[in-house]
Amino acid sequence: MAFCINCGNKLGAVAAFCPQCGTPVNNNASQNTTQQNAAPPITQNQTAQNHSSQGMHESFSPKWGLGGKSFTFTDDSLIYGTETIPYTQLTTISILTPPTRLTNGVAQTKTKDGKVLTLAYENTQKDRFAAALSVVNEKIDEANDQKDYQFRFQSPTGTKIEVYEDYLMMYYVSASATKVFSNAVGGGATGKIVHFPDISDIQFMLCSLEST
């Protein structure tokens, strides 16, 4: 049994690409590993950290193919359906509403000419999407020379944290279906500045934001 070298997913005997993360499969016998010798699956955090060294190719699609086009994040561009759009032509991607078991998650970005791109992905992809989005948004900000934060963290529910020199900027997205429109109008998240001296329990703050 062969396994993906990027995410650890089991591969079919004639698979050309990993069905989980889209990584090309090397079918040489020397590259195939048995289940006994296979490395443990890579975690979402490890996947995000390794994108820069292994090359990024993360593909997503809406549930049952409804609600939008399939899309793929690469090292320097977004493949949206059949269209390839460089990150230099995109704004930061915002999650408008996280997915549920029955509904797609929805994120949006815009091109420099004002075209809105809706990125819909199903609930089973939410952790991988969040890990990829943290990397992609940094790439977009760097490509457009607008990265002024030191680190950015993205959760599957839409909450994200940007770390600056002496404060945090915390954003959260309401999961309520009635908030989808207001999330879209507001860019997908409500921001709150938290200065480091005011932080007593970051875990408590995150839980509060996630439940809002």
Side-chain angles (χ1 to χ4, degrees):
M1 176 68 70
F3 292 83
C4 176
I5 61 173
N6 183 50
C7 68
N9 186 58
K10 291 182 180 179
L11 302 174
V14 295
F17 295 90
C18 174
Q20 179 69 20
C21 69
T23 298
V25 175
N26 188 334
N27 287 318
N28 291 335
S30 61
Q31 295 295 324
N32 292 334
T33 58
T34 62
Q35 186 172 10
Q36 290 78 12
N37 295 326
I42 299 174
T43 65
Q44 292 294 334
N45 288 338
Q46 289 172 324
T47 299
Q49 293 169 359
N50 290 337
H51 279 152
S52 59
S53 61
Q54 295 185 356
M56 189 174 195
H57 191 95
E58 294 286 353
S59 298
F60 303 90
S61 58
K63 190 177 183 68
W64 299 312
L66 302 175
K69 299 179 179 180
S70 297
F71 59 95
T72 299
F73 295 132
T74 70
D75 283 331
D76 56 9
S77 59
L78 167 68
I79 302 174
Y80 187 67
T82 59
E83 184 180 6
T84 299
I85 308 168
Y87 290 146
T88 53
Q89 299 300 310
L90 296 176
T91 61
T92 302
I93 300 170
S94 297
I95 294 178
L96 303 185
T97 181
T100 68
R101 289 191 304 169
L102 299 178
T103 62
N104 292 318
V106 177
Q108 278 188 352
T109 181
K110 290 184 180 180
T111 62
K112 289 294 179 65
D113 59 5
K115 180 181 178 181
V116 176
L117 305 179
T118 298
L119 309 179
Y121 57 98
E122 60 179 304
N123 191 49
T124 59
Q125 301 170 339
K126 65 180 181 180
D127 291 329
R128 187 165 56 88
F129 181 80
L133 189 59
S134 294
V135 176
V136 169
N137 272 335
E138 286 201 23
K139 290 179 180 290
I140 291 174
D141 290 343
E142 289 172 351
N144 292 284
D145 195 27
Q146 59 187 27
K147 180 184 174 183
D148 54 354
Y149 51 84
Q150 297 181 6
F151 306 100
R152 170 182 275 160
F153 305 95
Q154 178 74 58
S155 82
T157 60
T159 296
K160 65 181 178 181
I161 299 175
E162 293 176 352
V163 181
Y164 295 83
E165 185 174 350
D166 55 0
Y167 67 92
L168 304 176
M169 179 68 79
M170 306 183 71
Y171 302 86
Y172 64 93
V173 174
S174 173
S176 170
T178 60
K179 294 293 185 179
V180 174
F181 178 75
S182 61
N183 286 339
V185 172
T190 301
K192 178 181 180 181
I193 295 177
V194 182
H195 294 277
F196 288 149
D198 298 329
I199 297 176
S200 59
D201 191 336
I202 187 66
Q203 185 175 4
F204 173 77
M205 294 176 65
L206 283 172
C207 290
S208 298
L209 286 175
E210 296 285 0
S211 61
T212 301

